C-alpha cells in the first residue's frame, strides 16, 4: 500500500515541488494551504493532489484537518512541515505583530503539524518527519530576527524529536534551503536580490524548488532510515555549518 505524505504549504513554492515529487515517487499526498483558494484549485487540477485548507498556526484546526486527511487517505507516514511566511524588517522597525505572526506560523506551526501525527507514528513504529528550515536559521539574516529565530528553532525541534522517535522507527530531519526561486524570494526588492544576495551565492544563481524536493524525497525514503536529527543544506555553497 502506498505511504501517505502530508505537506503543509504544499500547493505553492517549495511545497508544491515537494508534493509533486512525492506523488511521482508513489506516495498518496495531501497538500495543505492557508488562503489562496485559486492557486490550490489550479494545483489540484494540474496534479490530481488533494488540497486541504487550514491555518497551521491554529492547533485545533491542524488536528481536525489531519484527522480528515487520515480519514480520506489513511494514516500519515511522512509529514513535511513546510508552511512558512516572512515579515521582514530591520529589528528597530520590527513590530510585535510581525514577530508574532512569524513565530505562530513558522515555529508553532511545526508543533501543530507534527504533534497530531506523532502518536500514530509511534504506534505503527514508522514515521518520517521532515522540517523545511532555512539557511537563515543557520547564519541569521539582516531584517529577519523573527524568521531566523523560527528556522533555528526548527533545528532544535528535529534534534529533540530524533532522540524521542529513534526507537519507534521515526526519523526527524531538516532541510535548510538557501535562496530558492520562489515567490517568497522574488518578493525581496529586486535591487537587494540582484546586488546583495545573488552575489553572495558562489553557484551564481538561485536554487530550484525541485532541488529541495529531491532532498525531501531522499529523507522520506527507506534508504535514509539511519539518518536522524540531521540537516541537509542546499544553498549553492552560500554557507557551511
Ligand atoms: N545586509 C546589510 N544591509 C542591508 C541588507 C543586507 N542584507 N539589506 C538591506 N540592507 C541595508 C540597506 O542597504 C539600507 O542601508 P542604508 O540605510 O545605509 O541605505 C538599509 O539596510 C535599509 O534600511 P531601511 O530602513 O530602508 O529598510 P526597510 O525598512 O526599507 O527594509 C528590507 C528593507 C526589508 C531590509 C529589504 O531590504 C529586504 O527585504 N531585504 C532582504 C531581506 C532578506 O534577505 N530576506 C530573506 C527573504 S527570502 C527567505 O526568507 C527565504 C529563505 O529562507 C532564504
Amino acid at each position: 500500500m502506498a505511504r501517505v505524505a502530508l505537506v503543509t504549504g504544499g500547493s505553492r513554492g517549495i511545497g508544491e515541488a515537494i508534493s509533486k515529487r512525492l506523488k511521482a515517487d508513489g506516495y498518496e499526498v495531501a497538500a495543505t494551504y492557508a488562503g489562496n483558494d485559486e492557486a490550490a484549485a489550479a494545483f489540484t487540477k494540474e496534479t490530481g493532489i488533494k488540497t486541504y485548507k487550514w491555518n497551521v498556526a491554529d492547533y485545533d484546526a491542524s488536528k481536525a484537518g489531519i484527522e480528515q486527511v487520515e480519514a480520506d487517505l489513511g494514516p500519515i507516514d511522512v509529514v513535511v512541515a513546510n508552511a512558512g511566511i516572512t515579515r521582514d524588517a530591520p529589528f528597530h522597525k520590527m513590530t510585535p505583530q510581525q514577530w508574532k505572526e512569524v513565530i505562530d506560523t513558522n515555529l508553532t506551526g511545526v508543533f501543530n503539524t507534527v504533534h497530531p501525527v506523532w502518536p500514530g507514528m509511534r504506534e505503527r513504529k514508522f514515521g518520517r518527519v521532515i522540517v523545511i528550515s532555512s539557511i537563515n536559521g543557520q547564519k541569521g539574516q539582516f531584517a529577519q530576527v523573527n524568521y531566523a529565530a523560527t528556522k533555528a528553532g526548527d533545528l532544535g525541534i528535529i534534534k529533540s524529536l530524533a532522540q524521542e522517535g529513534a526507537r519507534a522507527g521515526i526519523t526527524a530531519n531538516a532541510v535548510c534551503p538557501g535562496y530558492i526561486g520562489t515567490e517568497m524570494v522574488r518578493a525581496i526588492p529586486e535591487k537587494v536580490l540582484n546586488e546583495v544576495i545573488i552575489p553572495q551565492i558562489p553557484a551564481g544563481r538561485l536554487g530550484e524548488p525541485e532541488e529541495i524536493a529531491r532532498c525531501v524525497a531522499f529523507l522520506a525514503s527507506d534508504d535514509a532510515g539511519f539518518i536522524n536529527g540531521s540537516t541537509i543544506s542546499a544553498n549553492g555553497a552560500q554557507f557551511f555549518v
Side-chain angles (χ1 to χ4, degrees), residues 12-90:
R12 292 196 297 145
I14 290 175
E16 175 180 0
I18 295 170
S19 297
K20 287 179 177 170
R21 172 61 196 240
L22 292 178
K23 183 176 185 216
D25 284 358
Y27 294 85
E28 283 278 2
V29 180
T32 81
Y33 70 103
N36 193 333
D37 295 316
E38 216 173 288
F43 167 81
T44 299
K45 195 165 171 221
E46 181 202 334
T47 62
I49 295 171
K50 207 161 182 294
T51 53
Y52 296 81
K53 185 177 183 176
W54 73 74
N55 179 359
V56 296
D58 179 337
Y59 184 80
D60 292 337
S62 298
K63 193 166 186 302
I66 284 166
E67 279 168 11
Q68 186 61 52
V69 169
E70 295 202 320
D72 293 348
L73 303 181
I76 293 167
D77 304 294
V78 177
V79 61
V80 185
N82 164 76
I85 59 170
T86 53
R87 296 287 182 268
D88 294 356

Side-chain angles (χ1 to χ4, degrees), residues 106-107 110-111 114 131 150 152-162 172:
N106 296 14
L107 189 61
V110 174
F111 176 88
V114 179
V131 179
T150 64
D154 287 342
L155 304 182
I157 291 174
I158 59 101
K159 288 173 193 170
S160 304
L161 285 180

Side-chain angles (χ1 to χ4, degrees), residues 14 85-90 92-93 106 132-137 139 141-144 147-148 151 176-180 182-189 191-193 196-197 200 238:
I14 290 175
I85 59 170
T86 53
R87 296 287 182 268
D88 294 356
H92 63 282
K93 291 185 183 172
N106 296 14
I132 307 304
S133 174
S134 165
I135 184 176
N136 292 344
K139 71 169 185 57
Q141 169 60 36
F142 188 101
Q144 285 201 313
Y147 184 89
K151 297 299 178 178
C176 284
Y179 283 75
I180 309 300
T182 61
E183 250 175 72
M184 181 184 275
V185 166
R186 305 229 180 253
I188 298 171
K191 199 169 151 57
V192 175
L193 186 60
V196 181
I197 291 172
Q200 292 171 3
Q238 188 180 352

